[in-house]
């Protein structure tokens, strides 16, 4: 018992020492941390602290205009009253701003649900409408507010915290003269956080307030059109009161893009394409027993000597103004739903189809380069048979022994069947040589097929040349599915199972029937209208394959700097000058005595030589695709209508009407220069004033010329 006080004293001493050590350790840690924060990283944290008390006010730049070749605005800006909501402010409220949005709905005459949908953030599971921009920038609710609505919001600001109503420059797609030009122009939507982070270290970073181009010219030339927003920075205290102005950045409006599009020709091309499709739907298809569906189409009008696009129409189309200020759920469903037929697609550069007989200019070149004589004699029989299969000429018609030129004029399939089959056999047939010539496939690649043309529009597709390389890759990708389906053979002998069985066993081979169909633009071959316009333009200009261009020049906001977009080439046709002259003559024959002659009756061929090629492509499970490829010395026009019937039947009248307008030709062949929209390509830019203003020429509706009294009667 005598040792008890000593033991207690010892324990107390140990505890005191432990506490001293703990306190000392804490002081040492705190001192180290203070050294790290104040000495080691003091400057960095001081800078961040200052920045926390800097607020910036952003004034978005006015986006540059997109103009046609004559200075007429296709896309510009107009001032509207825009009502926006700050998601950040709304989320600070107890009810997440529900009451405020409810009051706003009553003022604007909108439903609460519609407004809530507009301010919710987009993700993989959220349907449109939703906000796909930054959650920290004001979200536009409507850009169609009336002055009275804006005043109610501003005068009762205490009832609408987080809501603003300000006059703002809003994008406008003007459609001058009814030239919609939707797929060419594209549309805008807010920049996302991902895009901001990706571009922050580039020479063209995004601000959270930016709207950027999502398709068409708006996307291609976005960095020029967007301009630079003005940023004013203010120093504020902890209560948010401004105590000074920090460094600021001056803004600059976006540059204008002058295009080669002529709004008058564009409007006419859209109208003619639409009318051609409506007329096709009135025609009975004897193969299906119903009228043609004519459910989509495209037309390209291009300068033959430069590759500049004068008009480009795609049908079905849409109104790009639907995207301005945020697209509604109804409009979004209309544009993207299963029943929409996808109007956002630019079918001139994204629509792929078998080309039919307009492909025969490639097969003609292939035959000549393989050693066949253009003026030789080739049997044009009504059909051609191999291995128990019979391939018929169009409508079973024969023309005896004819030249390649005449085969183009009358579009004789069996001439090209035979030539392609002969070359296939020379290459080894089913057991090909080590290095086969593959003239017909090689020539298609030389014509630029199977790859992009290089047009200055986004998301162009490549089409397809079904050569040996493609066949092998396609077989490897589909072998498993084909072989699984082929197990039903021989109990199930329908066409699909038969094809699956053939694909499983021999899908890697280039068969005789592949080459025969390919020679007339059938089978697995796919092209786009812009590819065929580029090819026929090259035949017209002597062999140069131009990269098609829509942009013509970029004009700085002050008009002092003009950056031209010059035509560039991606190759030459694999034809000698002699072959080009021979094909040129044959294609003129198509328009005067061949398959397109009935559509060009009365055309002033002696003054404006016309060249053409018709195409009617068969598609498994669908009605035939109409193709019509034409050119003069100045222009190339290619039109296609899916499930539209024959080339000259469906597309011919529309193409003829566009040429009539370009040159001022009346129905009897008389020429009125005053009525001509574009008698020759326009190389100059519209007048640019010193302040950057671009003088637009007035848009006048096209009025067809009256028949000339001196014009001869059209041949029957």
């Amino acid at each position: 018992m005598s040792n008890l006080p000593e033991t207690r004293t010892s324990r107390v001493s140990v505890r005191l020492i432990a506490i001293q050590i703990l306190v000392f350790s804490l002081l040492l840690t705190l001192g180290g941390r203070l050294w790290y924060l104040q000495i080691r990283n003091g400057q960095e944290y001081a800078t961040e602290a200052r920045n926390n008390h800097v607020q910036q006010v952003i004034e978005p730049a006015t986006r540059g205009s997109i103009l046609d070749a004559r200075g007429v605005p296709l896309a510009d800006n107009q001032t509207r009253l825009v009502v926006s909501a700050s998601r950040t402010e709304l989320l600070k409220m107890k009810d997440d701003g529900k009451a405020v949005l409810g009051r706003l709905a009553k003022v604007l005459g909108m439903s609460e649900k519609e407004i809530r949908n507009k301010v919710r953030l987009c993700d993989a599971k959220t349907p449109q409408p939703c906000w796909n921009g930054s959650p920290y920038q004001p979200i536009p609710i409507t850009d169609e507010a009336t002055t009275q609505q804006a005043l109610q919001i501003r005068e009762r600001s205490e009832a609408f915290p987080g809501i603003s109503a300000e006059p703002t420059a809003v994008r406008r797609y003007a459609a001058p003269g009814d030239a919609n030009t939707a797929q060419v122009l594209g549309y805008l939507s807010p920049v996302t956080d991902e895009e901001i982070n990706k571009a922050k270290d580039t020479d063209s970073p995004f601000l959270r307030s930016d709207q950027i181009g999502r398709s068409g010219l708006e996307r291609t030339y976005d960095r020029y059109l967007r301009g630079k927003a003005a940023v004013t920075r203010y120093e504020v205290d902890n209560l948010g009161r401004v105590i000074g102005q920090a460094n600021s950045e001056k803004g600059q409006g976006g540059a204008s893009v002058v295009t080669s599009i002529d709004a008058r020709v564009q409007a006419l091309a859209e109208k003619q394409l639409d009318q051609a499709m409506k007329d096709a739907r009135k025609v009975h298809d004897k193969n299906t027993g119903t009228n043609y569906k004519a459910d989509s189409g495209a037309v390209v009008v291009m300068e033959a000597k430069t590759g500049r696009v004068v008009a480009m129409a795609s049908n079905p189309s849409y109104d790009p103004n639907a995207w301005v200020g945020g697209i509604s759920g109804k409009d979004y469903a209309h544009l993207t739903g299963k029943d929409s037929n996808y109007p956002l697609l630019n079918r001139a550069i994204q629509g792929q189809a078998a080309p039919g007989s307009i492909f025969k200019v490639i097969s003609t070149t292939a035959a000549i380069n393989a050693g066949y004589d253009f003026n030789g004699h080739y049997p044009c029989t009504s059909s051609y048979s191999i291995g128990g299969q019979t391939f018929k000429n169009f409508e079973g018609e024969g023309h005896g022994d004819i030249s390649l030129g005449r085969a183009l004029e009358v579009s004789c399939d069996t001439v090209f069947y035979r030539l392609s089959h002969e070359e296939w056999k020379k290459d080894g047939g089913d057991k090909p040589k080590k290095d086969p010539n593959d003239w017909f496939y090689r020539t298609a690649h030389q014509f630029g097929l199977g790859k992009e043309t290089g047009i200055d529009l986004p998301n162009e597709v490549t089409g397809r040349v079904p050569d040996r390389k493609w066949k092998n890759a396609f077989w490897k990708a589909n072998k498993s599915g084909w072989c699984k389906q082929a197990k039903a053979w021989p109990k199930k002998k329908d066409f699909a199972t038969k094809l699956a069985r053939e694909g499983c066993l021999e899908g890697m081979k280039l068969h005789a029937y592949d080459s025969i169909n390919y020679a007339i633009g059938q089978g697995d071959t796919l092209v786009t209208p812009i590819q065929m316009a580029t090819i026929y333009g090259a035949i017209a200009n002597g062999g140069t394959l131009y990269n098609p261009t829509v942009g013509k020049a970029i004009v700085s906001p002050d008009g002092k700097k003009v950056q031209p977009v010059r035509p560039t080439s991606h190759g030459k046709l694999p034809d000698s000058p002699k072959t080009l002259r021979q094909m040129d003559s044959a294609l003129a024959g198509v328009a005067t005595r061949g398959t397109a002659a009935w559509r060009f009756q009365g055309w002033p061929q002696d003054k404006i030589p016309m060249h053409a090629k018709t195409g009617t492509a068969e598609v498994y499970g669908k009605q035939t695709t109409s193709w019509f490829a034409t050119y003069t010395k100045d222009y190339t026009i290619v039109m296609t209508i899916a499930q539209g019937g024959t080339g000259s039947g469906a597309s011919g009248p529309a193409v003829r009407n566009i040429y009539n307008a370009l040159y001022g030709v009346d129905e009897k062949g008389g020429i009125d220069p005053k009525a001509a929209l574009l008698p020759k390509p326009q190389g100059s830019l519209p007048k640019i004033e010193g302040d950057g203003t671009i003088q637009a020429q007035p848009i006048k509706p096209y009025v067809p010329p009256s028949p000339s009294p001196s014009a001869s009667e059209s041949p029957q």
Side-chain angles (χ1 to χ4, degrees):
M1 297 295 292
S2 60
N3 294 329
L4 185 59
E6 182 180 346
T7 303
R8 290 177 177 173
T9 302
S10 176
R11 289 177 180 175
V12 171
S13 299
V14 170
R15 289 174 182 173
L16 288 173
I17 292 171
I19 292 172
Q20 288 174 352
I21 293 173
L22 179 60
V23 171
F24 180 76
S25 299
L26 290 173
L27 289 173
L28 186 63
T29 302
L30 181 60
R33 183 61 177 165
L34 288 173
W35 175 87
Y36 180 82
L37 293 174
Q38 294 185 4
I39 307 300
R40 174 67 174 79
N41 280 11
Q43 185 61 42
E44 178 183 344
Y45 286 109
T47 301
E48 287 191 16
R50 285 193 299 271
N51 289 340
N52 285 337
H53 292 284
V54 173
Q55 296 293 331
Q56 60 182 24
V57 177
I58 298 173
E59 184 180 347
T62 301
R63 193 171 179 87
S65 298
I66 301 176
L67 311 169
D68 89 336
R70 303 164 71 248
V72 177
L74 300 171
D76 58 6
N77 308 284
Q78 64 180 170
T79 301
R80 298 186 192 175
L81 284 170
V82 177
V83 175
S84 303
S86 170
R87 181 178 173 83
T88 303
E89 293 298 318
L90 294 175
L91 292 179
K92 290 179 181 178
M93 303 173 193
K94 291 182 179 180
D95 63 351
D96 294 336
K98 185 177 180 180
V100 172
L101 295 180
R103 290 192 290 271
L104 182 63
K106 293 179 181 179
V107 171
L108 297 179
M110 300 170 66
S111 70
E112 289 186 46
K113 181 181 178 181
E114 184 180 1
I115 291 181
R116 285 198 301 270
N117 286 348
K118 286 203 171 191
V119 299
R120 66 185 177 179
L121 301 181
C122 292
D123 58 32
K125 297 181 180 179
T126 305
Q128 288 284 347
C130 57
W131 177 251
N132 69 344
S134 169
Y136 302 107
Q137 70 184 83
I139 301 173
I141 303 297
T142 180
D143 59 8
E144 297 179 344
T146 65
T147 303
Q148 184 178 1
Q149 290 169 338
L151 286 174
Q152 286 186 61
I153 294 168
R154 299 188 70 171
E155 290 177 353
R156 298 170 55 206
S157 57
E158 72 285 351
F160 297 100
I163 306 299
S164 61
E166 302 289 343
T168 307
V170 175
R171 202 62 166 165
R172 178 186 72 140
Y173 298 95
D178 292 330
N180 187 33
T181 331
Q183 292 89 350
V184 175
L185 294 172
Y187 57 89
L188 306 176
S189 73
V191 65
T192 64
D193 283 347
E194 181 181 353
E195 289 165 332
I196 291 172
N197 292 331
K198 189 176 180 180
K200 66 181 179 181
D201 295 326
T202 68
D203 59 354
S204 184
F206 292 121
L207 293 173
R208 294 191 182 278
S209 58
D210 279 338
Q211 296 263 328
I212 63 174
R214 294 298 180 191
S215 68
L217 295 171
E218 293 278 29
R219 177 173 170 180
T220 300
Y221 294 98
D222 182 76
R223 63 189 299 259
Y224 301 102
L225 291 164
R226 193 178 349 124
K228 182 181 179 182
V231 180
T232 304
R233 296 180 177 87
Y234 295 98
E235 293 183 7
V236 297
D237 61 18
N238 291 333
L239 298 177
R241 295 173 298 193
V242 176
I243 59 176
Q245 185 169 333
N247 60 317
S248 301
E249 299 174 12
K250 291 184 177 180
Q252 185 178 42
S256 293
V257 175
V258 179
T259 71
S260 53
I261 298 289
D262 186 290
R264 301 167 303 172
V265 182
Q266 177 71 27
L268 181 67
E270 291 173 2
K271 180 180 178 180
Q272 289 298 321
L273 174 62
D274 186 64
Q275 188 61 49
M277 292 170 63
K278 289 178 180 176
D279 291 342
R281 295 180 195 127
K282 300 175 183 177
V283 178
H284 185 72
D285 177 10
K286 62 182 180 181
N287 293 320
T288 63
T290 61
N291 285 6
Y292 286 106
K293 295 180 179 179
D295 52 0
S296 62
V299 60
V300 177
V301 182
M302 182 188 294
E303 293 179 3
K305 295 179 181 178
T306 64
R308 295 192 186 281
V309 176
V310 178
M312 177 182 284
S314 179
N315 193 311
S317 190
Y318 69 99
D319 182 4
N321 288 298
W323 294 87
V324 176
I327 191 166
S328 69
K330 181 180 178 181
D331 286 341
Y332 188 80
H334 179 70
L335 295 178
T336 60
K338 292 181 180 179
D339 298 330
S340 68
N341 202 13
Y342 309 109
L344 296 181
L345 283 178
N346 183 348
R347 285 173 164 82
I349 66 171
Q350 296 172 301
Q352 303 180 104
S357 291
I358 66 170
F359 185 82
K360 288 174 181 173
V361 293
I362 298 167
S363 295
T364 300
T365 297
I368 293 169
N369 290 346
Y372 297 91
D373 184 2
F374 186 89
N375 293 313
H377 297 282
Y378 306 96
C380 177
T381 54
S382 61
S383 64
Y384 185 74
S385 299
I386 59 161
Q389 285 185 289
T390 299
F391 298 85
K392 293 184 178 181
N393 206 4
F394 184 69
E395 295 186 347
E397 189 176 3
H399 294 274
D401 285 358
I402 60 176
S403 67
L404 286 178
R406 184 59 179 162
L408 283 174
E409 290 179 3
V410 298
S411 203
C412 180
D413 292 338
T414 52
V415 166
F416 295 98
Y417 289 153
R418 184 172 282 102
L419 292 174
S420 182
H421 188 211
E422 287 178 5
E423 285 305 301
W424 176 81
K425 289 187 290 185
K426 288 180 182 179
D427 285 333
D430 282 325
K431 298 179 180 179
K433 300 175 182 178
K434 183 178 180 182
D435 294 307
N437 286 317
D438 284 338
W439 280 108
F440 281 74
Y441 298 95
R442 182 196 306 182
T443 303
H445 286 294
Q446 292 172 329
F447 268 69
L449 296 183
K451 60 183 179 182
E452 299 173 357
T453 63
I455 190 170
D456 54 344
L457 291 173
N459 302 320
E460 180 187 7
V461 298
T462 63
R464 182 169 68 208
V465 177
D467 53 16
R468 298 180 195 276
K469 182 179 178 181
W470 177 84
K471 283 283 289 187
N472 192 51
F474 191 67
W475 174 72
K476 287 181 178 178
N478 294 277
K479 179 184 177 183
S480 176
W482 284 338
C483 293
K484 183 178 181 180
Q485 186 177 353
K487 290 180 179 179
W489 187 273
K491 292 183 179 180
K492 189 177 181 181
K493 292 189 175 182
D494 63 301
F495 185 67
T497 306
K498 181 182 178 182
L499 284 180
R501 183 170 181 266
E502 290 179 1
C504 175
L505 299 174
E506 298 182 326
M508 80 297 290
K509 293 184 179 180
L510 189 65
H511 297 284
Y513 59 79
D514 288 324
S515 291
I516 285 173
N517 275 322
Y518 170 79
I520 63 163
Q522 293 283 175
D524 293 311
T525 308
L526 293 175
V527 302
T528 63
I530 195 66
Q531 287 176 325
M532 299 313 295
T534 301
I535 286 171
Y536 276 83
I539 297 173
N541 68 37
T544 301
L545 289 161
Y546 281 104
N547 296 0
T549 52
V550 182
K552 196 172 184 180
I554 300 164
V555 182
S556 63
D558 59 7
K560 295 179 180 179
K561 184 178 180 181
V562 178
Q563 180 181 334
V565 180
R566 303 188 187 282
T568 57
S569 166
H570 61 265
K572 299 280 289 185
L573 294 181
D575 293 283
S576 67
K578 179 181 178 182
T579 300
L580 284 174
R581 288 194 299 271
Q582 290 171 326
M583 282 206 300
D584 184 79
S585 177
L587 295 172
V590 174
T592 55
R593 56 183 178 271
T595 56
W598 68 303
R599 290 305 189 194
F600 285 106
Q601 290 182 2
W603 180 261
Q605 189 73 8
D606 57 331
K607 298 181 179 65
I608 309 169
M610 179 63 66
H611 309 75
K613 186 72 195 80
T614 58
T616 306
E618 297 179 0
V619 183
Y620 176 69
K622 293 186 177 183
Q623 297 169 311
T624 53
T625 300
S626 167
W627 284 94
F628 204 39
T630 61
Y631 67 86
T632 63
K633 65 178 181 178
D634 303 307
Y635 301 103
T636 302
I637 301 179
V638 172
M639 180 176 285
T640 183
I641 300 175
Q643 303 195 90
T646 64
S648 58
S651 302
V655 172
R656 170 68 185 267
N657 287 339
I658 295 173
Y659 276 117
N660 286 347
L662 287 172
Y663 291 104
V665 177
D666 64 35
E667 60 186 18
K668 292 187 177 182
I671 301 174
D672 181 0
K674 293 182 179 179
L677 289 183
L678 286 177
K680 61 181 180 179
Q682 304 295 309
S684 60
L685 291 169
K687 185 178 180 182
I688 303 170
E689 302 292 348
D691 60 355
T693 304
I694 299 177
Q695 296 297 315
Q697 298 182 41
I699 284 284
K700 294 181 180 179
Y702 168 67
V703 179
S706 301
S708 171
S710 61
S712 59
E713 291 296 323
S714 302
Q716 301 298 316

